[in-house]
């Protein structure tokens, strides 16, 4: 959603700068040096740039949500609205920045100076260039990529809205004086503007915490495919092939008497959700769109691997027997289910051998041979 | 006052020099910087910041070249002088900005910077003729932003064929196209033809009548 915001900032700032610069020219000057009229005039000019940009951005967000068919997503309406508001305030801030630049320059250079400075500011303070996620005052808090299992850090959104809102007002209220070809800001306004920019610049290092917070969610859409298989509802439209294959595998396994190859329940993995294998739930790899579905072989292996055991992730690595057993188990399952598989030096196991291996694995005893 | 001093005097050379030098200093300081991210998106191909400075130098060209009164009809001889003036300004700005490319550690070569400056200059000149000098920054800026956003990736070189502005190497074809385009833009601005004149003339007259004093326009 906010992938294109960085394109909007320089354009908005440049346009606002040109408008403000034209307002400040001799001939219009009385409108902006008068205490009563100044803020209102600059405010209208600023709004004339910022409001269409914000409305267009909002329109894009609504269109994307409508096309995606996920109106509220998973995190609820308040964080969603706050995130949109934060992005809107960023646009307004850059309009105010451009307006300030424009007041101090002639119209012919205001545009490029406003646009270039906005690009510079948004590049320096807007990106999470650092490897670890952190608060970014012009950033989108990761709003551009839909992610299951996280929600916005509402505290960050509120800080972003407050800091940018207050400083945008300060930049907008900067008063200029002078009747010659050049104007200058009043001392108070100049101090206020400098302070505003410093506040915005220091916000990134002052505000701690990660912009996205964990909000672990289990897959909620369950179907009967020989056993209960649960996937995330966002992934369900692409899960058809996988579910069909699973159904065939589980049906044939139980028909041939390999009951231990049919788990109580299968759940889709996500980056932050791990199915609880201790209680008999097996994990299914994350289903992705436009990705070739694994053949049954790969699917079976991913289901069987005892990922809950620490030996799989430590430095030494699991014993050789694990891979032999895994190969034998998969070979057995594929043979039982009638899939085409390459010739291997392993044999089809008896149901009791399968039971033995899987029982040992559930205790994280990985030394068991086929 | 010599003719040249008078010619320089009626154009916005002082502002152009100022903006150009500031941008040039920035380019020297950040000559090693590679832009790796556009907003939250990681770019498929990192882009030398030096190539992006061409937007500002292009606007500088428009600033110095655009005559103070755009809609006065001119005899052919004057159009010729104006093209020569545009060529001189463009040559100086292009040379100055591409010098950074031969400095130690520069992330982009001199010829790529020169090509970008020429292209952005042409876009800014056209923008000045069509939209007015105040908005002449819009075409080069939009072209560059669009190229950075959509021009990367997709091909073995790391950018699309049309994405000339982020191509670190120059080809003869690019030079031919960019130079022709610049020449066309220079003729347009020199001839003082912006949009087709018939429909806009009334508006233009009003601007002349009630607008700013002549030296500010």
């Amino acid at each position: 959603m906010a992938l294109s915001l960085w394109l909007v900032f320089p354009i908005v700032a440049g346009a606002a700068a040109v408008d403000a610069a034209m307002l400040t020219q001799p001939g219009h000057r009385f409108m902006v040096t008068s205490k009563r009229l100044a803020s209102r005039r600059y405010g209208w000019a600023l709004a004339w740039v910022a409001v269409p940009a914000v409305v267009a951005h909002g329109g894009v967000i609504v269109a994307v949500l409508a096309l995606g068919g996920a109106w509220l997503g998973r995190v609820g309406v308040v964080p969603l609205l706050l995130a949109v508001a934060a992005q809107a305030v960023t646009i307004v801030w850059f309009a105010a920045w451009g307006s300030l630049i424009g007041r101090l320059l002639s119209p012919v250079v205001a545009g490029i100076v406003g646009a270039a400075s906005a690009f510079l500011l948004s590049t320096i303070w807007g990106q999470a260039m650092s490897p670890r996620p952190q608060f970014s005052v012009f950033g989108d808090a990761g709003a551009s990529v839909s992610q299951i299992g996280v929600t916005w850090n509402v505290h960050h959104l509120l800080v972003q809205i407050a800091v940018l809102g207050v400083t945008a007002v300060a930049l907008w209220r900067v008063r200029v004086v002078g009747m010659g070809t050049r104007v200058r800001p009043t001392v108070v306004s100049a101090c206020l503007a400098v302070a505003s920019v410093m506040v915005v610049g220091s916000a990134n290092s002052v505000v701690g915490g990660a912009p996205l917070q964990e909000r672990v969610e289990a897959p909620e859409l369950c179907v009967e495919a020989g056993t209960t298989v649960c996937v995330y509802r966002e992934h369900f439209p692409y899960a058809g092939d996988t579910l069909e294959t699973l159904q065939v595998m589980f049906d044939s396994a139980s028909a041939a008497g390999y009951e231990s190859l049919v788990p109580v329940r299968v759940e889709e993995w996500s980056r932050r959700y791990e199915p609880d294998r201790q209680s008999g739930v097996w994990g299914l790899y994350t289903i992705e769109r436009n990705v070739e579905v694994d053949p049954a072989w790969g699917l079976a292996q991913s289901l069987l691997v005892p990922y809950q055991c620490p030996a799989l992730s430590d430095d030494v690595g699991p014993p050789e027997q694990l891979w032999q057993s895994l190969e034998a188990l998969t070979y057995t399952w594929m043979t039982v289910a009638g899939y085409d598989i390459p010739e291997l030096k392993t044999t089809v196991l008896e149901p009791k051998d399968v039971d033995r291996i899987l029982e040992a694995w559930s205790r994280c005893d990985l030394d068991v041979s086929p | 006052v010599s003719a040249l001093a008078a010619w320089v005097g009626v154009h916005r050379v002082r502002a152009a020099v100022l903006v150009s030098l500031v941008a040039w200093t920035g380019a020297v300081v950040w000559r090693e910087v590679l832009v790796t991210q556009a907003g939250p998106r990681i770019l498929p191909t990192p882009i030398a910041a030096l190539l992006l400075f061409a937007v500002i130098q292009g606007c500088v060209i428009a600033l110095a070249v655009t005559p103070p009164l755009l809609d006065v009809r001119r005899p052919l001889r004057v159009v010729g002088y104006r093209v020569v003036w545009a060529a001189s300004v463009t040559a100086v700005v292009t040379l100055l900005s591409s010098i950074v490319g031969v400095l130690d550690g520069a992330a982009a070569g001199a010829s790529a910077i020169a090509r970008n400056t020429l292209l952005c200059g042409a876009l800014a000149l056209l923008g000045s003729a069509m939209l007015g000098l105040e908005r002449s920054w819009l075409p080069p800026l939009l072209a560059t932003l669009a190229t950075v956003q959509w021009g990367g990736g997709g091909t073995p070189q790391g950018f699309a064929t049309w994405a000339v502005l982020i191509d670190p190497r120059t080809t003869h074809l690019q030079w031919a196209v960019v130079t022709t385009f610049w020449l066309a833009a220079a003729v347009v601005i020199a001839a003082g033809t912006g949009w087709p004149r018939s429909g806009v003339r009334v508006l233009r007259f009003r601007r002349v009548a009630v607008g700013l004093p002549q030296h500010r326009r």
Side-chain angles (χ1 to χ4, degrees):
Chain A
M1 277 187 256
L3 280 180
S4 53
L5 264 185
W6 76 279
L7 298 168
V8 176
F9 296 151
I11 298 169
V12 161
V18 171
D19 284 354
M22 285 173 150
L23 256 185
T24 319
Q25 287 308 291
H28 305 269
R29 184 71 60 72
F30 69 96
M31 291 188 195
V32 294
T33 42
S34 135
K35 204 168 190 169
R36 201 168 54 81
L37 287 175
S39 296
R40 210 191 309 164
R41 290 290 161 189
Y42 283 133
W44 278 116
L46 202 160
W48 187 234
V49 173
V51 172
V54 168
V55 168
H57 184 62
V60 170
I61 290 176
V62 169
V64 167
L65 287 180
L67 287 175
W71 279 105
L72 293 181
R74 293 165 173 275
V75 295
V77 77
V78 172
L80 188 69
L81 286 180
L82 280 178
V84 173
Q87 294 177 11
V89 175
T90 350
I91 295 177
V92 172
W93 193 91
F94 275 103
W97 169 258
S99 173
L100 171 66
I101 294 285
R103 284 168 223 192
L104 309 176
L105 297 171
S106 87
V108 291
V109 295
I112 184 60
V113 174
S117 58
F119 177 80
L120 194 66
L121 289 185
S122 73
T123 304
I124 294 175
W125 293 333
Q127 298 174 346
M129 278 288 199
S130 77
R132 79 199 155 80
Q134 59 174 21
F135 177 73
S136 163
V137 72
F138 296 136
D140 68 340
S144 305
V145 186
S146 67
Q147 301 178 73
I148 293 174
V150 289
T151 182
W152 285 289
N153 186 340
V154 171
H155 169 69
H156 274 197
L157 294 177
L158 289 174
V159 170
Q160 191 178 5
I161 293 172
V163 167
L164 292 182
V166 170
T167 51
V169 169
L171 295 180
W172 159 49
R173 304 289 295 206
V174 166
R175 280 200 60 224
V176 290
V177 289
M179 274 299 168
T181 48
R182 288 273 168 274
V183 291
R184 56 185 169 75
T186 60
V187 177
V188 178
S189 312
C191 293
L192 215 58
V194 171
S196 300
V197 174
M198 280 166 65
V199 166
V200 171
S202 58
N204 281 356
S205 46
V206 171
V207 182
L212 292 174
Q213 287 175 334
E214 250 186 51
R215 187 169 174 278
V216 178
E217 292 188 67
E220 68 282 79
L221 204 70
C222 297
V223 288
E224 274 308 318
T227 182
T228 308
V229 180
C230 298
V231 297
Y232 290 101
R233 64 165 187 267
E234 287 88 344
H235 300 163
F236 186 68
Y238 323 112
D241 290 352
T242 311
L243 293 177
E244 247 171 58
T245 314
L246 284 178
Q247 172 121 41
V248 173
M249 283 163 55
F250 291 137
D251 284 354
S252 48
S254 61
Y258 293 88
E259 287 301 338
S260 54
L261 286 179
V262 184
V264 190
R265 190 181 165 91
V266 175
E267 284 182 347
E268 189 184 351
W269 282 84
S270 71
R271 194 160 156 181
R272 294 173 186 81
Y273 178 75
E274 183 177 297
D276 181 15
R277 204 171 172 109
Q278 301 293 356
S279 51
V281 181
W282 288 10
L284 174 67
Y285 57 72
T286 305
I287 296 164
E288 287 177 61
R289 188 183 188 176
N290 296 334
V291 170
E292 192 79 23
V293 175
D294 253 350
W297 179 273
L299 204 54
Q301 285 207 330
S302 75
L303 285 171
L304 288 169
V305 171
Y307 54 80
Q308 84 280 14
C309 300
L312 257 78
S313 48
D314 71 6
D315 290 342
V316 185
E320 189 56 33
Q321 285 94 327
L322 171 74
W323 306 118
Q324 289 169 4
S325 303
L326 186 61
E327 195 172 80
L329 281 175
T330 320
Y331 185 78
T332 307
W333 202 349
M334 291 300 99
T335 313
V336 166
Y339 282 105
D340 274 344
I341 38 165
E343 273 306 311
L344 289 171
K345 273 183 283 179
T346 178
T347 51
V348 176
L349 301 174
E350 291 298 312
K352 63 174 176 13
D353 290 325
V354 174
D355 294 349
R356 177 172 56 85
I357 296 172
L358 288 177
E359 194 274 330
W361 282 3
S362 69
R363 287 181 281 107
C364 279
D365 174 12
L366 305 179
D367 285 334
V368 50
S369 301
Chain B
V1 186
S2 74
L4 182 65
W7 188 278
V8 169
V10 294
H11 289 83
R12 300 176 182 85
V13 174
R14 221 165 29 154
V17 167
L18 204 66
V19 176
S20 185
L21 283 182
V22 171
W24 190 81
T25 313
V28 170
V29 171
W30 288 313
R31 65 180 181 279
E32 295 174 11
V33 171
L34 283 174
V35 179
T36 55
Q37 257 181 304
R41 196 172 68 102
I42 292 174
L43 291 171
T45 321
I47 298 164
L50 275 184
L51 294 180
L52 306 181
F53 275 98
V55 177
I56 305 179
Q57 300 293 5
C59 292
V60 166
I61 292 175
L63 189 57
V65 168
T66 305
L69 270 174
L70 204 58
D71 40 326
V72 170
R73 285 172 199 278
R74 300 187 184 85
L76 201 59
R77 197 161 46 94
V78 178
V79 173
Y81 290 151
R82 291 205 167 281
V83 173
V84 172
W85 169 243
S88 326
V89 169
T90 309
V92 170
V93 174
T94 306
L95 200 69
L96 184 82
S97 49
S98 54
I99 282 174
V100 186
V102 299
L103 295 184
D104 245 11
S111 80
I113 300 173
R115 175 208 58 205
N116 277 20
T117 311
L118 199 60
L119 179 52
C120 285
L123 285 166
L125 286 178
L126 270 189
S128 180
M130 303 287 179
L131 311 168
L133 181 57
E134 294 87 356
R135 290 168 198 83
S136 60
W137 50 276
L138 211 46
L141 182 78
L142 289 181
T144 305
L145 293 180
T147 309
V148 172
Q149 176 83 338
W150 293 292
T155 60
Q157 309 98 291
F159 39 82
T161 318
W162 59 266
V164 173
L165 285 166
I166 58 170
D167 187 348
R169 292 163 192 279
T170 52
T171 64
H172 292 303
L173 179 66
Q174 286 177 2
W175 275 113
V177 171
V178 168
T179 313
T180 314
F181 183 46
W182 176 87
L183 198 64
V187 170
V188 167
I189 194 99
T193 53
W195 292 112
R197 299 169 73 91
S198 55
V200 201
R201 191 178 296 170
V202 180
L203 252 172
R204 289 242 166 113
F205 266 110
R206 274 200 57 205
R207 212 173 77 184
V208 172
V210 300
L212 316 172
Q214 231 175 29
H215 69 281
R216 302 289 311 174
R217 257 184 281 128

